[in-house]
Amino acid sequence: MSRAYWRLWTSSALSNLADGILKVALPLVAVQFTRSPALVAGLAVAVTLPWLVCALPAGALVDRLDRRRAMLAANLARATLLAAVTAAVLLGWGSIYLLYGAAFLIGAAETVYDTAAQSIVPQIVPRERLTQANGRLFAAELTANQFAGPPLAGLLAATGAALAFATPAALWLLALAALFLIRGSYRVERPAEPATLRADIAAGLRYLWRQKVLRRLATLTGLFNFASNAATAVLVLYATGPMRLPEAGYGLLLGTIAAGSLVGSLVGAWVERRLGRTRTLFLAVPAGTLLIGAPAITTSPYLVGAGFVVGGIGIVVANVVMVSLRQRITPDAMLGRVNSCYRLIAWGTMPLGAAAGGLLAQQIGLRPLFAVMALVALTGLVCVRGLD
């Protein structure tokens, strides 16, 4: 891999460490301002809402701008916003509503950064090495975001709200420095296209719909995310109820998913080389479905945890293969918009799945819900054919 790739990898690792700290620090700091469960839970909505309302414009902008500069601007915006929040907390001006505003604006900047980061990879890495490159990026993301970020956030929040916010702001600035070291222009040469953002967005959606392979993979992603969020929305009830896990045990159970995901990010390229894309997905999707269906089979935390490890491997291997294929077959001039459409589908189905999971679990019970949603996820296999 080139120096530019490793600088991108370093920037990604630092940015994801900041993300991992912030997503845990926000609710921990929020409880200092309010004890209302609804207001605290609303922070999760504020952080994710930009993916529903800003994803498509972000994709259009990424295809118009120099992608490295778009990432620089997004990280600078996130660091500046969080520095302002840190100053407000130190001055005694902090409130839950200040956190809401900051969470939404930081989330909006994240849509630009993440879309540009995924779109710039084929400009830095030869297309035959995209699977390996994406696997290493996934490994950095998982290690920083899921392993290192959350426990570090707990320590920082215990020290003080200002430090919990100042640390990710500093990490985004360090990520900014790594991006500065990447040389060259990353603006894509575009053919003559309509001038408005709305027209650009429409062109991206049409392209995604007309490409049969991309359309099938987008459907697979949407189905799986709907089913997985339906299951995870009520998993805590099952873990602390029939499985009889304490809160710490529930955290360890979720950690098995992260462990499997890290393994999957490291072996994804090797599995694809050995089996090909189609066979890899035919194995990875059912393996990933264990994240949803394992609790339907047993109440043993050890067996469910083992299923979650295998499921984590499967879902990340599938993601590495699908992201790399999307980067290979999508023209560079359209990649930002296509990536943003994928993000919109992935995040758009999550709240729908969570709502459906809560309602359905109330009607049929927890274990039947897990079984039904595992079947829903498996229906996505009809979309996996002829990808090699």
Side-chain angles (χ1 to χ4, degrees), residues 19-386:
D19 291 341
I21 293 172
L22 186 63
K23 72 180 181 182
V24 175
L26 272 173
L28 289 176
V29 174
V31 297
Q32 300 178 20
F33 301 122
T34 178
R35 303 300 297 184
S36 166
L39 287 175
V40 173
L43 280 171
V45 177
V47 169
T48 56
L49 185 60
W51 283 105
L52 293 176
V53 298
C54 303
L56 294 179
L61 285 171
V62 163
D63 281 343
R64 288 172 169 236
L65 304 173
D66 183 301
R67 288 165 178 168
R68 183 183 72 97
R69 291 184 179 181
M71 295 166 68
L72 287 169
N75 261 3
L76 181 60
R78 291 196 286 185
T80 302
L81 284 165
L82 208 49
V85 173
T86 303
V89 169
L90 288 172
L91 293 170
W93 298 343
S95 72
I96 186 65
Y97 302 106
L98 175 70
L99 298 186
Y100 271 32
F104 179 84
L105 292 174
I106 288 170
E110 181 184 22
T111 64
V112 175
Y113 180 89
D114 284 4
T115 302
Q118 203 167 80
S119 302
I120 202 175
V121 176
Q123 296 175 273
I124 291 177
V125 177
R127 291 188 181 263
E128 65 272 13
R129 304 197 70 181
L130 281 173
T131 305
Q132 183 183 18
N134 284 314
R136 289 174 175 173
L137 285 167
F138 270 108
E141 176 181 343
L142 290 162
T143 302
N145 202 313
Q146 296 187 22
F147 283 121
L152 183 55
L155 293 173
L156 293 170
T159 305
L163 187 60
F165 288 153
T167 301
L171 288 168
W172 277 322
L173 290 175
L174 289 174
L176 202 71
L179 283 174
F180 264 119
L181 296 175
I182 300 176
R183 302 302 180 188
S185 172
Y186 295 92
R187 182 192 291 270
V188 178
E189 296 238 354
R190 291 168 25 126
E193 291 185 10
T196 67
L197 275 180
R198 180 179 295 181
D200 273 2
I201 291 169
L205 288 170
R206 282 196 303 271
Y207 182 88
L208 177 64
W209 180 252
R210 290 171 181 171
Q211 291 291 323
K212 184 183 293 186
V213 170
L214 295 180
R215 189 172 71 240
R216 292 206 309 259
L217 294 182
T219 302
L220 168 63
T221 303
L223 282 171
F224 192 93
N225 282 330
F226 177 89
S228 64
N229 277 267
T232 55
V234 294
L235 178 62
V236 65
L237 299 174
Y238 190 73
T240 57
M243 289 179 66
R244 299 180 180 178
L245 284 176
E247 291 182 2
Y250 178 61
L252 290 174
L253 181 66
L254 296 181
T256 62
I257 302 175
S261 298
L262 180 58
V263 173
S265 69
L266 298 174
V267 303
W270 178 83
V271 174
E272 184 191 61
R273 286 196 303 270
R274 298 284 300 210
L275 301 180
R277 283 188 287 266
T278 301
R279 289 181 181 177
T280 297
L281 289 179
F282 266 120
L283 290 175
V285 172
T289 304
L290 286 173
L291 291 173
I292 304 167
I297 302 170
T298 178
T299 59
S300 167
Y302 301 104
L303 293 177
V304 172
F308 281 4
V309 170
V310 175
I313 294 172
I315 194 57
V316 172
V317 167
N319 277 328
V320 168
V321 170
M322 289 190 291
V323 168
S324 302
L325 178 59
R326 187 164 77 244
Q327 291 170 339
R328 285 189 178 100
I329 66 178
T330 304
D332 281 343
M334 192 69 69
L335 189 53
R337 283 166 283 176
V338 171
N339 283 334
S340 68
C341 290
Y342 260 79
R343 294 275 184 168
L344 180 67
I345 292 171
W347 287 87
T349 56
M350 288 180 181
L352 297 176
L359 293 173
L360 195 57
Q362 192 167 341
Q363 298 298 319
I364 66 175
L366 293 172
R367 293 184 77 171
L369 168 75
F370 297 135
V372 168
M373 288 302 159
L375 292 175
V376 170
L378 287 172
T379 60
L381 283 173
V382 302
C383 302
V384 181
R385 60 185 184 278

